[in-house]
Every structure is written in C-alpha cells, then in structure tokens.
C-alpha cells in the first residue's frame, strides 16, 4: 500500500517558498488545507492569501501514521516524507526555502524526518506533538554525555540521527559535516497548556531533547517558561 500523492495548494504568485505540513490523527492533508483556508487572520485573510508565493504541500497518512506508532509504520512514514522534502527542495531550488511542520502525530513524524534528514531547512513548526521513542533518544544522549567528546551541541544530533536511522531500518548515511546544518534549522514548538489529548509534559520532553541535541528552539511570546508558544487554534499574535 503506497502513500497517496500529497494535497497541494500551488503558489498564486512567483514560487519563493514551500511549506510541508502534516496533519494529526483522524485527519488528512486535504482536510488540514481546508481548515487553514477557513481560518482567517488579521485583515480577514487566510494563510494562502497572506503568502501567495508559498506552495503548500499536505501529505496524507496511511493508517499507521494516524494510529499507534510502531517502528515499521514510522519507518515508512519518515522514508516517504524524506522523499517529499527532496522533491520540494529540487522544485524550489534550496532547502532554506522549505519549511517542515506538523500537528500532533504529524509533528511527531515530522520531527523524526527532521533529525533523520541532511538539510538545514528554512524552519520547522510543530503544534501539540511529541518526539517518538524519546526514552531511547535519552539513552543515546546520556551515553554521549559520558563520552570523551561529551560536548552535546556539535556531535549529539549526529549520533541521534545515526541511531534513529538504524532503529527505523533506513540507510545510515555518513553525515560528514552536514549535521551542523541540521542543528541550524530554526524550530518552533507550540503546545496548548489545556491540551487534553497530548500531555504538555510530552511537549516539554521534545523541547528538552532537541535542545540537548544542539537545536536552538525559537521562543514564542506566550508561555515561555512552559514551552514555546500557543495552540494553533488560539488566535492572538502568536
């Protein structure tokens, strides 16, 4: 069973950037696009209208993405998403012009694709999600912290990336110096303090592990001491 082609909203002006967004459980790429189209910001314009030079790509999940995570399901999802990212980089001409993100389980999958990738992307944006297999990642980081080269910032993400690729059965690439590019991707994680589906502690855990990998998270203006921002359905300035 193959993944369906992503739902796409092409740029209505000169194509300058691409945003790849993954939906949450029980949804689909087209449904997420419809929700964003119906969500109006300041000036009564939706995201598509406010950013006419952006190509919006909404992958849709197989059942394994939208249910309980297992290694095989996550492997297939990450492999598929990495191919989508490469295609969009080729289309727009630069990895720095591609933004990756997701909601809930979409964020969980996208985070693994970010760490298993080899590009410095334009940005990563996640909402109310978590980092799968966090306990195993914690063990990798703990072993690294106790090693001779125990500087967590420049090397840790390389070790985590190689570990995750091996764990998921993906080809373990020699990242060379490209892991420094992975660390440079700006990351924003938002999580509602009243989220009843994905516990806030899981969002905090993802934040803390990414920070230990040397990834610098972008802070939102709200709830700085809790996480980095607000749940996406809350309007305001975030």
């Amino acid at each position: 069973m193959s993944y369906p082609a992503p739902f796409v909203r092409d740029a209505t002006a000169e194509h300058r950037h691409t945003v790849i967004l993954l939906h949450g459980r029980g949804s689909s790429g087209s449904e997420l696009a419809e929700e964003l189209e119906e969500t109006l910001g300041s000036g009564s314009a939706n995201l598509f209208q406010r950013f006419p030079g952006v190509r919006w790509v909404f992958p849709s999940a197989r059942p394994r993405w939208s249910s309980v995570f297992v290694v095989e399901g996550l492997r297939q999802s990450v492999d598929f998403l990495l191919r989508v990212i490469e295609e969009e980089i080729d289309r727009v001409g630069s990895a720095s012009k591609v933004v990756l993100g997701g909601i809930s389980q979409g964020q969980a999958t996208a985070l693994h694709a970010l760490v298993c990738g080899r590009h410095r992307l334009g940005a990563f944006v996640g909402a109310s999600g978590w980092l799968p297999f966090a306990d195993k990642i914690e063990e990798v980081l703990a072993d690294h912290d106790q090693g001779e080269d125990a500087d967590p910032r420049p090397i840790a993400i390389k070790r985590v990336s190689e570990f995750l690729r091996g764990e998921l059965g993906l080809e373990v690439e020699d990242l060379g110096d490209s892991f420094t590019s992975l660390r440079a991707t700006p990351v924003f994680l938002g999580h509602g303090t009243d989220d009843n589906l994905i516990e806030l502690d899981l969002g905090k855990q993802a934040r803390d592990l990414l920070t230990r990998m040397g990834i610098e998270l972008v802070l939102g203006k709200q709830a700085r001491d809790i996480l980095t921002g607000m749940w996406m359905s809350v309007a305001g300035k975030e």
Side-chain angles (χ1 to χ4, degrees):
M1 179 179 178
S2 61
Y3 286 84
F7 182 84
V8 174
R9 288 290 300 261
D10 277 317
T12 56
E14 181 183 355
H15 180 203
R16 296 182 178 274
H17 295 87
T18 294
V19 176
I20 304 170
L21 286 180
L22 281 66
H23 62 82
R25 181 176 181 178
S27 185
S28 68
S30 60
E31 289 179 5
L32 177 56
E34 183 178 352
E35 291 167 358
L36 291 179
E37 185 173 23
E38 294 173 351
T39 302
L40 302 181
S42 59
S44 298
N46 60 38
L47 279 176
F48 306 136
Q49 295 166 334
R50 289 176 63 85
F51 300 101
V54 172
R55 170 182 163 91
W56 299 84
V57 178
F58 300 92
S60 288
R62 291 173 57 178
R64 286 178 178 172
W65 174 353
S66 294
S67 57
V68 178
F69 270 115
V70 294
V71 171
E72 179 60 17
L74 187 57
R75 183 196 69 77
Q76 294 174 356
S77 297
V78 170
D79 182 60
F80 166 68
L81 187 53
L82 290 175
R83 285 186 277 114
V84 172
I85 292 170
E86 292 294 335
E87 291 171 1
E88 294 304 323
I89 290 173
D90 289 342
R91 185 184 299 271
V92 75
S94 171
S96 65
K97 296 181 179 181
V98 174
V99 174
L100 176 64
I103 301 169
S104 186
Q105 286 187 312
Q107 176 194 299
T109 302
L111 276 177
H112 271 256
L114 175 69
V115 176
C116 288
R118 55 187 179 89
H119 296 289
R120 190 275 193 200
L121 300 179
F124 181 97
V125 180
S128 284
W130 73 99
L131 185 60
F133 309 136
D135 291 344
K136 292 185 178 181
I137 294 173
E138 170 67 36
E139 292 177 4
V140 174
L141 290 172
D143 290 342
H144 168 69
D145 292 345
Q146 297 171 8
E148 295 181 359
D149 57 347
D151 180 353
R153 300 191 68 82
I155 307 297
I157 191 169
K158 179 180 180 181
R159 291 195 173 182
V160 172
S161 179
E162 291 172 346
F163 165 77
L164 288 179
R165 278 186 164 272
E167 191 76 3
L168 295 176
L170 300 172
E171 181 181 356
V172 180
E173 299 180 355
D174 182 3
L175 294 177
D177 293 332
S178 67
F179 65 90
T180 58
S181 297
L182 292 178
R183 292 176 50 234
T185 299
V187 174
F188 178 97
L189 297 183
H191 207 114
T193 56
D194 296 325
D195 190 334
N196 295 320
L197 296 177
I198 308 298
E199 295 180 2
L200 181 60
D201 285 346
L202 293 175
K204 291 181 180 180
Q205 183 185 52
R207 173 202 61 188
D208 293 344
L209 290 175
L210 291 172
T211 300
R212 288 178 61 189
M213 292 180 211
I215 296 175
E216 187 169 339
L217 274 67
V218 179
L219 298 181
K221 296 180 181 178
Q222 305 291 332
R224 287 178 185 265
D225 59 334
I226 299 174
L227 198 57
T228 58
M230 301 286 285
W231 166 238
M232 64 172 295
S233 64
V234 178
K237 295 183 179 180
E238 288 295 325

